[in-house]
Amino acid sequence: MPPASPLKIVFAGTPQFAAVHLAALLGSAHQVVAVYTQPDRPAGRGKQLQASPVKSLALHHELPVVQVSSLKTPEAQAELAQWSADIMVVVAYGLLLPQAVLDTPRLGCINVHASLLPRWRGAAPIQRAIEAGDASTGITIMQMDAGLDTGPMLSITPCPILADDTATDLHDRLCELGPGALLTALDDLAEGRAAPHKQPSEGVTYAHKLTKEEAAIDWTLDAALIHRRVRAFNPAPMAYFALGKERVRVLSAQPVAQLSGATPGEVIRLDASGLYVACGSGGLRIDTLQLAGKNPVAVKALINGSHPFSLHQVLQ
């Protein structure tokens, strides 16, 4: 049942994960009065300015779009107040909200976060959960305060992490869970049924932003950890190793049994089953890779033609 009192919402978000939640709001009884999103960024080979997925969706629905670099200025805060919103919904927006902004909507601000708080507060919860080998994650709907993902929780919706999940796979499953949880929380707030509860003080971890530097494979690490990073960094920044002066991206791989007597990074085997590389502990079977300037390719397809790998070559 739709709420008896639909809410006027200011939505703030930027990537595709946020756009999925905006689409759910647009299909609900609630009213989105304005959309906040990050300024357009250069993208692609031509480095042309590109609108965020949230902006593109908002313009398609002829919604007002606000793109400010900060919400700390009196001017930005005055503009926000002019929307007379009941609530602000924030999903992967990318800007910190000062207390003045948190206090502006009648019901405050709520956030859709892609982890089971307090685990993986911060910028990259999906990727860090995979990298750490977590068995599950989920969606938390949270009332926002001045801290980093520290506010009281309105609901949690768990989601398993499967053995071969990439960040893309997990992102897509969480996109299926988040909108329903968000709409339920909004209906509860509109009807006065919401019951926020404090986050546990134990189990706090921080999901720091991914860097290109950490995507470089360190073959001295345990093969299981390298495998998790391959999955966590797909589709970006994508795990890679050096082959001469070129970077080779690793799209999919599997840990394999210990390769005795091999130097970490050494190519032990190359056949139709994959490219086997020794690690600090165990080995990694690379199934799909992408050579510089080429499309992704299954390793088994490489052996039918010319390939740049030789046995006992040490990858960097």
Side-chain angles (χ1 to χ4, degrees), residues 180-194:
L182 171 62
L183 294 178
T184 297
L186 287 171
D187 291 351
D188 287 346
L189 286 164
E191 299 297 330
R193 298 188 301 264

Side-chain angles (χ1 to χ4, degrees), residues 79-145:
E79 182 178 23
L80 177 65
Q82 289 177 358
W83 301 113
S84 300
D86 294 307
I87 195 166
M88 187 172 188
V89 173
V90 181
V91 188
Y93 179 31
L95 285 184
L96 292 175
L97 273 56
Q99 191 63 50
V101 168
L102 297 173
D103 293 340
T104 296
R106 178 175 64 87
L107 295 174
C109 305
I110 66 171
N111 175 246
V112 180
H113 188 73
S115 81
L116 299 180
L117 292 171
R119 188 157 177 79
W120 302 125
R121 294 172 178 170
I126 293 174
Q127 295 90 339
R128 296 305 182 190
I130 294 174
E131 181 187 21
D134 290 1
S136 64
T137 184
I139 294 289
T140 301
I141 310 296
M142 170 191 67
Q143 287 187 329
M144 298 181 70
D145 61 17

Side-chain angles (χ1 to χ4, degrees), residues 126 130 162 164-171 230-232 234-235 251:
I126 293 174
I130 294 174
L162 306 182
D164 290 322
D165 272 345
T166 64
T168 297
D169 298 328
L170 189 53
H171 167 279
V230 167
R231 294 160 47 216
N234 184 346
L251 281 69

Side-chain angles (χ1 to χ4, degrees), residues 216-269:
I217 294 175
D218 179 355
W219 296 109
T220 66
L221 297 176
D222 180 77
L225 173 56
I226 297 174
H227 172 238
R228 295 198 301 269
R229 288 185 172 179
V230 167
R231 294 160 47 216
F233 299 163
N234 184 346
M238 201 68 80
Y240 72 89
F241 60 85
L243 188 66
K245 295 182 178 180
E246 303 292 343
R247 288 184 176 181
V248 179
R249 294 178 170 181
V250 178
L251 281 69
S252 66
Q254 288 291 333
V256 294
Q258 178 70 38
L259 302 173
S260 60
T263 301
E266 184 177 351
V267 177
I268 301 301
R269 178 178 161 194

